[in-house]
Amino acid sequence: MSAKVDKDRLWKSLETHGAIGGAEPGGVNREALTEVDKQGRDQFIAWCREANMEIAIDSLGTIYATRPGTDNSLAPVAMGSHLDTQPTGGKYDGILGVLGGLEVVRALNDAGITTRRPVQLVNWTNEEGSRFLPSMAASGVYAGIFKERDVLAEKDSAGITMGQALETIGYKGSESVGERKFHAFLELHIEQGPVLEDKGMEVGVVTGSQAMNWSNVIVKGRAAHAGTTPMPDRLDALAATTRLLNRAYEKGNAIEGACTTIGVMNAYPGSHSTVPHRVELTLDLRHPDQEILNELVADFDDAAEAERQLGFDVVREEFGAAEVQVFDQCCTQAIRAAAQAGNYRHCDIVSGAGHDAVYINQVCPAGMIFIPCKGGISHNPAESITPEHACAGVDVLLGSVLSLANEY
């Protein structure tokens, strides 16, 4: 009997889990290590146990659910993504890869198929990075990009550390991060962009990801009275920031493929009658070419130096970076073969976003599968996919897992 994805069961699981932390108008607010994240994790584990999977949790709260193979001495084929969301997130970013992996296991169970290698389903902690920086935190520690102690010490806006939040929801496990090794890792995800939809494709075979650089920037000037301080006598930190951001956006708009984003910005002291003395912001720069990304970063640093010459103090501190990644050829070939076997319209695509698989690819073979999302909209309550595309993505994941998990 061949394994077959149950489209209705898959969709019911996605919609049921999407109600945990559900927010108007149809989105989800399930930030990492909150009470609603705990509820989502609890539901996921309950479903995994119903599927006869063994559960383990590491010291960063990452969940590993394992389906045994015929030779459990072999490293498992892992699949998964994340359950946490942005504060104004959609119902499918991340969760599709986790519950899609669960449907793979359920389909194998239904068909009575046991793979040679174990199959492991992973929920990585704090992929989004909206409550605690950096994004892709747990997978980054697993891959040696970040240090665990630094990640656990990160604080949210209320001053709660990630370590404290883990303890509060009861998900600080005893297993060491990185203790588990994978034969390969696969991640199913919505595209979060318009390419597949525009091309009329059902599946994207992700060949790699673009280069990314994330920084915190602090601009310091001098507080002054808004009505009595002449403009030429001011060291207005927000005015300096405006010049920096104009330069960053102009550069980003001038270079094809570049993306410049200022996701967070706060001015202090936050009084209408006081010239701001301090501005804090995040700077997100991306490009498919590492050298061009380096140019974008260097250009911002040049602009910062120009502000220093005017008397401002400007500090840029990187909190994350990812070089261009090319996914493992064997994983990519397995995904492409599964898409062809299912007669799905598919094409190669490069990921513009960071994903857990981008970091895992640096320590073991990894690959990704994309499906379209309506209008390319993501990180937004309007995020939308179809049951048919979800089923196609999981079917390709199933075929890829079967291929890789039966390798010696």
Side-chain angles (χ1 to χ4, degrees):
M1 180 180 179
S2 61
K4 183 175 175 58
V5 174
D6 186 327
K7 182 180 72 174
D8 293 337
R9 179 173 60 192
L10 169 65
W11 194 252
K12 182 179 179 181
S13 296
L14 287 168
E15 294 301 295
T16 298
H17 203 284
I20 301 173
E24 295 296 333
V28 180
N29 181 358
R30 195 170 54 242
E31 288 191 280
L33 308 182
T34 56
E35 178 57 31
V36 286
D37 184 30
K38 171 180 164 39
Q39 294 170 22
R41 287 162 169 262
D42 290 348
Q43 178 63 82
F44 169 62
I45 287 177
W47 282 338
C48 288
R49 285 185 170 141
E50 287 174 7
N52 298 315
M53 302 182 80
E54 302 165 2
I55 305 297
I57 302 171
D58 72 18
S59 54
L60 281 177
T62 295
I63 302 168
Y64 305 89
T66 305
R67 183 179 193 266
T70 58
D71 186 351
N72 293 315
S73 68
L74 297 174
V77 169
M79 55 184 172
S81 192
H82 60 97
L83 293 175
D84 66 313
T85 75
Q86 291 286 329
T88 55
K91 292 192 291 187
Y92 310 105
D93 173 3
I95 190 174
L96 175 66
V98 179
L99 297 189
L102 177 61
E103 178 56 31
V104 166
V105 171
R106 288 169 166 171
L108 292 174
N109 288 348
D110 289 347
I113 295 172
T114 302
T115 55
R116 181 181 300 279
R117 292 176 178 274
V119 172
Q120 202 159 85
L121 179 53
V122 186
N123 169 49
W124 300 103
T125 296
N126 190 39
E127 191 275 351
E128 292 291 359
S130 59
R131 183 183 179 193
F132 301 103
L133 291 173
S135 55
M136 294 121 67
S139 57
V141 173
Y142 181 96
I145 309 297
F146 308 125
K147 289 183 170 58
E148 182 173 355
R149 65 175 180 272
D150 294 339
V151 166
L152 290 172
E154 283 290 335
K155 295 180 180 180
D156 66 8
S157 60
I160 299 169
T161 68
M162 185 168 155
Q164 289 170 332
L166 266 173
E167 296 278 6
T168 298
I169 69 167
Y171 268 91
K172 185 172 178 61
S174 57
E175 187 169 293
S176 298
V177 177
E179 180 178 324
R180 290 172 179 263
K181 307 299 181 186
F182 309 140
H183 176 64
F185 177 78
L186 300 176
E187 183 170 6
L188 169 64
H189 209 281
I190 63 172
E191 181 196 345
Q192 301 182 284
V195 175
L196 295 178
E197 185 179 61
D198 288 350
K199 290 185 174 182
M201 298 293 167
E202 298 168 286
V203 170
V205 180
V206 187
T207 57
S209 65
Q210 65 180 346
M212 295 167 263
N213 184 286
W214 304 292
S215 298
N216 286 315
V217 178
I218 299 175
V219 181
K220 295 180 183 178
R222 182 175 61 233
H225 194 288
T228 62
T229 309
M231 297 295 281
D233 295 333
R234 300 182 180 193
L235 277 179
D236 185 333
L238 189 53
T241 301
T242 300
R243 291 189 290 271
L244 285 169
L245 299 194
N246 281 339
R247 173 83 167 263
Y249 282 126
E250 286 172 4
K251 192 75 172 177
N253 283 319
I255 298 176
E256 185 177 356
C259 290
T260 298
T261 304
I262 311 300
V264 177
M265 187 168 72
N266 295 296
Y268 301 93
S271 168
H272 78 92
S273 60
T274 301
V275 174
H277 71 279
R278 180 186 178 99
V279 176
E280 299 175 357
L281 60 100
T282 59
L283 175 67
D284 184 317
L285 300 172
R286 309 188 190 204
H287 196 275
D289 186 310
Q290 183 69 51
E291 290 187 7
I292 295 178
L293 177 64
N294 293 343
E295 289 177 17
L296 290 168
V297 174
D299 189 77
F300 184 89
D301 288 343
D302 288 345
E305 181 57 33
E307 295 302 325
R308 293 188 192 101
Q309 297 303 314
L310 297 175
F312 296 94
D313 182 20
V314 183
V315 177
R316 181 182 67 83
E317 229 176 63
E318 287 185 11
F319 63 81
E323 295 183 352
V324 171
Q325 290 293 309
V326 177
F327 284 133
D328 177 77
Q329 188 175 10
C330 291
C331 291
T332 303
Q333 287 174 344
I335 292 167
R336 190 177 292 112
Q340 290 169 347
N343 292 318
Y344 297 114
R345 298 185 302 278
H346 64 281
C347 66
D348 288 359
I349 187 171
V350 173
S351 174
H355 297 285
D356 293 309
V358 172
Y359 280 158
I360 302 306
N361 187 59
Q362 300 182 41
V363 291
C364 90
M368 287 196 75
I369 304 159
F370 278 172
I371 65 162
C373 53
K374 186 176 181 181
I377 295 171
S378 184
H379 285 192
N380 185 312
E383 183 179 277
S384 178
I385 64 174
T386 68
E388 290 73 23
H389 285 150
C391 185
V394 176
D395 191 33
V396 172
L397 179 63
L398 171 60
S400 306
V401 166
L402 278 170
S403 173
L404 293 169
N406 284 319
E407 291 180 341
Y408 284 91

